[in-house]
Amino acid sequence: EMTLLWFNLPANTGVTLRVYDSRGQEVYTKAGNFDKGENHIILRRSDLIEPGMYAYQLESEFGIANRKLMMY
């Protein structure tokens, strides 16, 4: 029903999460301000179109991280 996307920040900053489907289409975006240290964003099954493989990108002033996830 949901997954937690964990990340660590060296300082307080804004972070943008973008989720892409298997065709590379952006299907979900969420942005917010996060504190220094360990953080997470909740991604719910209802946020996405259907179950399957997705790619996601976390972007902040400190860089960009790209990962994949399987949502059932």
Side-chain angles (χ1 to χ4, degrees):
E1 291 295 318
M2 71 175 198
T3 190
L4 298 174
L5 304 176
W6 292 92
F7 54 96
N8 200 352
L9 295 170
N12 297 354
T13 190
V15 174
T16 301
L17 167 69
R18 291 182 180 86
V19 181
Y20 301 90
D21 65 15
S22 60
R23 296 180 308 274
Q25 300 292 324
E26 188 174 312
V27 295
Y28 181 79
T29 303
K30 186 173 187 177
N33 292 314
F34 293 88
D35 294 330
K36 176 182 177 177
E38 192 171 273
N39 293 276
H40 70 273
I41 295 176
I42 297 173
L43 185 60
R44 300 184 188 286
R45 168 65 188 90
S46 59
D47 294 332
L48 303 175
I49 299 167
E50 61 188 1
M53 181 66 78
Y54 290 87
Y56 69 91
Q57 180 182 78
L58 285 168
E59 182 177 0
S60 77
E61 66 180 285
F62 301 107
I64 298 172
N66 295 293
R67 304 285 186 271
K68 293 183 181 179
L69 70 94
M70 177 65 83
M71 186 65 84
Y72 296 99

